[in-house]
């Protein structure tokens, strides 16, 4: 993970010490590298001490939450600072399922606005092909992770019009009907507008051509394991699976069994179409929040308890090692609201 840099406008919680010293102490407190860490490409994972987090949730909950949110937002501030310094016009934000792309893209937009820079967020999901034209896997299921699930011809026309003519017609995909809406949205930018392309395939070089010198690339992922002693008890990929399960169940009406059923294909698609471009990013953003497993222990574990699927039993065992927190402690502007809906 890239080193985090801080700015001068820190919350009151960080006024006890200088920003750099405070952040360094917090990272040493909650995070360390252990023998069992594994490399992904050339990116070393972080590890959080789950025993300490469980204890802090009881004794210093406010600091735990503020630290978690701060570590994530510090990375976003660093990214925005680089974008402003480089005067980058095109921002590509990619990452696997349930990494936090949507929230992060809009946070970047808000942060750029605070710097006096207008920006436009373009979701690549809106360029999905209609369901009947979506490629299929050998078992007949739809392959949403394939780059060919996107209407590349239409996207290339849109990108060319937007960046060269500064206006284009943006589609909107309706996930309920599985089709693109007939009505298109007219979007216009000026020569100073930054355009944020957000989606699982955003770093694929076939999407944005001939503008390489004006691109800032971000790869967002869950890049931290949780350990007890010297054992990794919640690997990063499993935490992301928890996010997907709880989001799909509470917000999309999907059964946990259905999400378990498709998860293998999701991961295979990510390994084939998304992760190969991870090392091309200017910045690897870790969206892990230290206290989030304790939220899932309250809302996901009860749903897993009586399931027979081996994966469900495995996740239930992991969450049993966590303390429990209610979702009303999640800050209203937290990335975790993308997965845990308040109402």
């Amino acid at each position: 993970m890239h080193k985090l840099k801080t700015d001068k406008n820190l919350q009151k919680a960080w006024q006890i010490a200088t920003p750099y010293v405070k952040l360094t102490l917090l990272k040493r407190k909650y995070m360390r590298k252990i023998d069992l860490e594994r490399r992904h490409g050339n990116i070393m994972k972080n590890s959080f001490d789950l025993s300490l987090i469980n204890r802090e949730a009881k004794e210093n909950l406010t600091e735990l939450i503020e630290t978690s949110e701060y570590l994530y937002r510090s990375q976003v501030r660093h990214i925005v600072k680089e974008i402003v310094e480089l005067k980058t016009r095109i921002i590509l934000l990619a990452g696997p399922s349930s990494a936090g792309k949507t929230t992060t893209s809009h946070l970047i937009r808000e942060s750029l606005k605070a710097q006096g820079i207008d920006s436009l967020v373009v979701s690549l999901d809106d360029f999905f092909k209609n369901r009947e034209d979506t490629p299929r896997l050998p078992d007949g299921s739809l392959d949403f992770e394939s780059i060919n699930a996107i209407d590349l011809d239409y996207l290339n026309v849109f990108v060319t019009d937007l960046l060269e003519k500064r206006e284009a017609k943006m589609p909107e995909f309706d996930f309920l009907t599985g089709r693109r809406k007939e009505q298109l949205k007219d979007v216009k930018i000026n020569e100073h507008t930054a355009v944020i392309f957000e989606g699982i395939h955003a770093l694929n070089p076939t999407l944005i051509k001939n503008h390489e010198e004006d691109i800032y690339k971000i790869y967002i992922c869950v890049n931290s394991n949780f350990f007890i002693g010297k054992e990794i008890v919640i690997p990063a990929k499993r935490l992301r699976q928890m996010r997907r399960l709880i989001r799909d169940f509470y917000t999309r009406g999907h059964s946990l069994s259905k999400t378990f059923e498709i998860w293998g294909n999701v991961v295979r698609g990510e390994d084939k179409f998304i992760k190969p471009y991870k090392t091309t990013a200017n910045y690897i953003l870790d969206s892990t929040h230290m206290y989030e497993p304790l939220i899932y222990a309250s809302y996901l574990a009860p749903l897993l308890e009586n399931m027979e699927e081996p994966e469900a039993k495995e996740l239930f065992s992991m969450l049993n090692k966590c303390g429990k927190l209610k979702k009303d402690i999640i800050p209203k502007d937290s990335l975790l609201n993308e997965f845990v809906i308040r109402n």
Side-chain angles (χ1 to χ4, degrees):
M1 188 175 79
H2 294 259
K3 290 182 179 179
L4 303 179
K5 294 183 179 180
T6 60
D7 58 24
K8 296 179 181 178
N9 300 317
L10 300 175
Q11 300 177 29
K12 292 181 180 179
W14 315 108
Q15 292 175 347
I16 299 172
T18 63
Y20 179 79
V21 171
K22 183 68 177 181
L23 184 56
T24 301
L25 291 175
L26 288 170
K27 289 178 70 176
R28 286 180 181 174
K29 179 177 181 179
Y30 293 101
M31 184 190 307
R32 67 181 175 89
K33 304 233 183 296
I34 58 175
D35 321 359
L36 298 179
E37 282 188 329
R38 294 168 290 181
R39 287 185 178 275
H40 284 242
N42 63 349
I43 307 299
M44 179 71 83
K45 276 186 164 47
N46 298 305
S47 289
F48 290 121
D49 186 338
L50 184 57
S51 296
L52 175 60
I53 290 169
N54 285 335
R55 185 168 72 247
E56 292 291 293
K58 294 180 179 179
E59 300 175 1
N60 298 296
L61 179 58
T62 299
E63 181 183 282
L64 175 64
I65 294 172
E66 289 182 347
T67 302
S68 301
E69 300 294 334
Y70 181 75
L71 290 175
Y72 163 69
R73 288 176 177 271
S74 292
Q75 296 174 85
V76 175
R77 281 197 291 270
H78 174 86
I79 288 169
V80 171
K81 181 180 178 182
E82 288 198 338
I83 291 171
V84 172
E85 290 176 348
L86 296 170
K87 299 180 180 179
T88 308
R89 189 176 168 213
I90 304 169
I91 302 152
L92 306 181
L93 175 61
S97 172
S98 301
K101 297 180 291 295
T102 300
T103 298
T104 302
S105 64
H106 288 282
L107 180 56
I108 292 172
R109 182 186 181 190
E110 292 169 7
S111 301
L112 287 172
K113 185 177 181 180
Q115 298 286 331
I117 300 173
D118 289 330
S119 60
L120 171 71
V121 175
V122 176
S123 173
L124 296 181
D125 286 358
D126 284 324
F127 293 86
F128 272 135
K129 293 178 179 177
N130 293 333
R131 286 291 182 263
E132 63 268 23
D133 300 320
T134 302
R136 293 184 178 271
L137 293 162
D139 64 3
S141 59
L142 296 171
D143 187 4
F144 295 112
E145 273 62 47
S146 170
I147 184 68
N148 296 312
I150 292 178
D151 187 341
L152 294 175
D153 291 338
Y154 189 92
L155 177 61
N156 288 330
V157 170
F158 174 85
V159 171
T160 299
D161 287 348
L162 187 65
L163 298 181
E164 296 182 6
K165 299 179 182 178
R166 297 176 188 164
E167 60 180 52
K169 293 186 177 295
M170 187 158 65
E172 181 180 356
F173 192 85
D174 187 335
F175 284 90
L176 292 178
T177 64
R179 299 183 61 82
R180 193 180 300 157
K181 293 182 178 179
E182 292 186 10
Q183 188 172 1
L184 302 175
K185 180 181 178 181
D186 291 318
V187 293
K188 295 183 179 182
I189 61 174
N190 59 50
E191 59 182 326
H192 303 296
T193 304
V195 184
I196 306 166
F197 292 93
E198 170 265 312
I200 59 176
H201 297 295
L203 297 188
N204 192 303
T206 63
L207 297 186
I208 309 291
K209 301 176 182 178
N210 305 320
H211 296 277
E212 190 65 32
E213 72 288 347
D214 198 23
I215 292 177
Y216 189 92
K217 300 178 181 179
I218 307 162
Y219 187 91
I220 183 172
C221 56
V222 174
N223 201 49
S224 295
N225 299 315
F226 289 78
F227 69 90
I228 295 177
K230 288 193 174 183
E231 178 189 1
I232 293 176
V233 293
I234 304 180
K237 186 178 291 185
R238 288 302 197 186
L239 185 68
R240 189 163 58 83
Q241 185 181 26
M242 293 175 188
R243 287 181 174 183
R244 175 76 180 249
L245 284 162
I246 199 167
R247 181 198 69 186
D248 285 3
F249 182 84
Y250 283 108
T251 70
R252 300 188 180 183
H254 293 178
S255 68
L256 269 61
S257 295
K258 178 63 177 178
T259 304
F260 278 126
E261 179 184 334
I262 65 174
W263 182 251
N265 286 335
V266 169
V267 171
R268 281 189 289 273
E270 292 169 350
D271 290 341
K272 182 177 181 181
F273 295 108
I274 303 167
K275 290 186 178 179
Y277 305 108
K278 179 176 183 177
T279 56
T280 69
N282 297 88
Y283 196 96
I284 307 292
L285 196 163
D286 183 2
S287 67
T288 309
H289 285 52
M290 291 184 291
Y291 67 96
E292 64 178 292
L294 284 66
I295 299 290
Y296 307 149
S298 293
Y299 297 98
L300 179 59
L303 302 175
L304 297 167
E305 187 171 6
N306 297 315
M307 294 185 68
E308 295 300 323
E309 286 92 335
E311 280 187 292
K313 293 181 180 296
E314 184 179 357
L315 292 185
F316 181 74
S317 176
M318 293 177 185
L319 291 173
N320 261 352
K321 296 177 174 66
C322 303
K324 294 184 178 181
L325 292 174
K326 296 296 185 181
K327 59 187 177 182
D328 57 6
I329 59 93
I330 302 174
K332 292 182 179 180
D333 58 353
S334 174
L335 174 141
L336 295 186
N337 291 304
E338 188 172 327
F339 311 105
V340 182
I341 303 302
R342 289 176 173 271
N343 298 320

